[in-house]
Amino acid sequence: MSKKPMREVSAADLSRGRRITLLILVSMGSSILFAPPYLKNVFYDPLLDALDINNAQIGWLVSAYAITATICYLPSGFIADRVRVRTLATTGYFITAILTFVYAALPSFGTLLAVFVGMGLSTILIWWGVRFKLVRLISDADGYARNIGLSYGIYGAVGLVLGFVEVGILSAFAERADLGVRTILMMLGGLIFLLAIASHLLTPRFAGEIEHPGEGFKLADLTRVFGSPVVWLAAGTMFFVYFVYTGVAYTTPYLSAVFAAPAAVVSTVSVIRTYGITLLAGPAFGALATKVRSPSRVIIVASIVIAVALASLIAIPSGPVLVIVAAVIVVALGFLANGCYGIASSQLSEGRVGLDMFGAASGLLSVIGFLPDTFSSVWFGAIIDDRGSAAYPIIFTILIVCALLAAALSYALIVWVKRTGGQAAVEEAEESPTGS
């Protein structure tokens, strides 16, 4: 007797509890799934010791992941429109869990490179399109904005709790960084494996989730995107905003190297900077951008403040006496950088990029915007290996320049939109008959 296929459902067919469960599940996944490849952003020094590699090598691992991710951003969107989210989520989680268990064995550098490339495929090519699409599938016409905001809140809450658990694990193995890191990775692998099982059991087949069945790649969509000044300005802004967002991670090893802050203080500040402020920064910057009706204006002001804060961090005399002042600046930098990153993609809406090209525009934005991951860690790691503590003022100066460039590109987008009316207005003018 053949097995009856699973019934397709819509958001209206699901109970409120089922929709909330799916929202929590995918939001937890977005927080836990990316923890293994980006563990160095939170526990830089312990990871360095546990893997027995240098700063440049840890940078190469992140770059291997980032290069793979960059290649996969565009095709991941097409895959998400042609494969059910249940299949993508389950497969992405399962493969990432296996790779995390291999990572937990603290293998050779060559094996680690293969693991990070594999994670790039599992988390980006397979899973990247799941989160936003699943949130859309469980939302009615007016509920998406509310649900995606709630999703970011869950992401931050899960990351914060998980981060403090990880700090506790490292503290318990204070004399053995390898055991602490291995325990953290085994825990993450187990949680990701549970997410795979939960996704398989709880995610239904949604009606309409497979869009345009059988339809191939459209070159015209990319042609319009590549010819849009709005998309390029937004992508450039995202590039420099994301450069600062990831570069701020180097403020935590700066606390230990220059200010002699205890490991527990450094780890706690890092967790708060990475996860805790996500609970506040995203919603706060989103509300502010909505109020002033321009995410670009918010990015301009925040980027200038970031530049001033980084300059202040360079100017503060080193030593344990001023470690609290430095820690406050580090947390503030995390808040500002996180907030700018959260609203940077909204420049596409500010520039009136149409829905019919929004997906392709978002793909190009991801490719350009996340490019810093492909080289910044290697670059900064090499500077630290070469100059030691003296490297940090150089790194922070680079970040200051990036923040100011993000402000400049945001201003250029405002000017372009004010003069032209934005992408939609330009296309409408081009389509109008001559002389009309």
Side-chain angles (χ1 to χ4, degrees):
M1 183 177 178
S2 62
K3 185 178 179 180
K4 185 177 179 180
M6 184 184 296
R7 182 175 68 94
E8 291 189 341
V9 300
S10 65
D13 297 322
L14 301 176
S15 67
R16 184 171 181 271
R18 180 76 175 276
R19 294 196 299 272
I20 292 175
T21 298
L22 289 171
L23 181 64
I24 293 173
L25 181 65
V26 75
S27 303
M28 287 178 61
S30 65
S31 186
I32 299 171
L33 190 70
F34 295 96
Y38 286 114
L39 196 63
K40 73 103 177 171
N41 287 354
V42 185
F43 303 111
Y44 190 93
D45 292 326
L47 189 62
L48 206 66
D49 292 340
L51 297 177
D52 192 25
I53 58 179
N54 59 35
N55 291 285
Q57 285 177 312
I58 201 171
W60 275 114
L61 293 179
V62 176
S63 290
Y65 174 81
I67 290 169
T68 306
T70 300
I71 295 171
C72 293
Y73 281 126
L74 280 177
S76 70
F78 291 99
I79 290 174
D81 283 339
R82 287 159 177 78
V83 182
R84 293 192 180 276
V85 294
R86 179 174 182 258
T87 301
L88 291 176
T90 302
T91 305
Y93 286 135
F94 179 76
I95 295 175
T96 306
I98 298 301
L99 291 170
T100 303
F101 290 137
V102 176
Y103 189 4
L106 308 181
S108 66
F109 181 68
T111 301
L112 286 170
L113 279 174
V115 166
F116 274 69
V117 170
M119 286 184 176
L121 295 172
S122 63
T123 62
I124 304 300
L125 184 65
I126 298 174
W127 195 88
W128 182 253
V130 169
R131 181 186 184 189
F132 298 105
K133 186 165 185 177
L134 183 55
V135 173
R136 178 169 64 83
L137 288 169
I138 62 174
S139 306
D140 55 30
D142 300 321
Y144 178 80
R146 178 187 68 249
N147 284 340
I148 198 65
L150 182 58
S151 178
Y152 274 111
I154 296 169
Y155 164 88
V158 171
L160 184 63
V161 172
L162 195 62
F164 280 118
V165 171
E166 291 167 348
V167 169
I169 292 173
L170 280 180
S171 297
F173 295 98
E175 303 301 321
R176 290 290 304 274
D178 58 332
L179 291 180
V181 169
R182 180 177 282 127
T183 302
I184 288 173
L185 288 170
M186 290 295 293
M187 177 189 69
L188 291 173
L191 289 174
I192 295 170
F193 186 75
L194 291 176
L195 286 169
I197 296 173
S199 294
H200 181 75
L201 295 176
L202 298 176
T203 307
R205 291 162 56 96
F206 287 96
E209 67 173 299
I210 305 297
E211 299 177 2
H212 312 299
E215 183 177 293
F217 173 76
K218 285 186 176 181
L219 184 61
D221 290 340
L222 280 183
T223 302
R224 292 173 63 202
V225 168
F226 277 98
S228 169
V230 166
V231 175
W232 284 108
L233 288 170
T237 301
M238 175 65 88
F239 176 91
F240 290 112
V241 163
Y242 188 71
F243 202 121
V244 174
Y245 171 75
T246 55
V248 165
Y250 287 88
T251 57
T252 44
Y254 181 66
L255 289 179
S256 59
V258 175
F259 288 90
V265 172
V266 174
S267 296
T268 300
V269 170
S270 181
V271 169
I272 293 174
R273 176 187 55 75
T274 305
Y275 296 111
I277 57 176
T278 305
L279 293 168
L280 301 174
F285 272 66
L288 185 58
T290 301
K291 184 175 182 179
V292 302
R293 302 178 67 180
S294 172
S296 295
R297 295 183 188 278
V298 178
I299 291 172
I300 290 171
V301 175
S303 295
I304 292 172
V305 176
I306 286 173
V308 172
L310 285 167
S312 300
L313 199 58
I314 295 173
I316 293 176
S318 60
V321 176
L322 294 174
V323 67
I324 299 301
V325 175
V328 170
I329 294 176
V330 167
V331 172
L333 279 168
F335 178 84
L336 294 167
N338 194 298
C340 286
Y341 171 59
I343 64 171
S345 62
S346 300
Q347 288 184 320
L348 295 177
S349 296
E350 183 178 2
R352 295 184 63 195
V353 171
L355 289 175
D356 58 336
M357 63 179 284
F358 207 90
S362 298
L364 181 59
L365 188 78
S366 295
V367 171
I368 302 298
F370 298 139
L371 274 177
D373 274 343
T374 65
F375 67 89
S376 63
S377 293
V378 175
W379 185 18
F380 290 164
I383 296 174
I384 294 172
D385 284 336
D386 182 50
R387 296 177 177 267
S389 298
Y392 292 103
I394 298 173
I395 292 172
F396 296 159
T397 300
I398 294 169
L399 296 180
I400 289 171
V401 173
C402 289
L404 296 177
L405 287 171
L409 286 171
S410 295
Y411 179 74
L413 189 144
I414 291 173
V415 172
W416 194 87
V417 171
K418 187 175 294 185
R419 289 180 178 176
T420 63
Q423 179 66 26
V426 168
E427 292 191 352
E428 288 170 6
E430 289 175 347
E431 293 171 3
S432 299
T434 303
S436 61

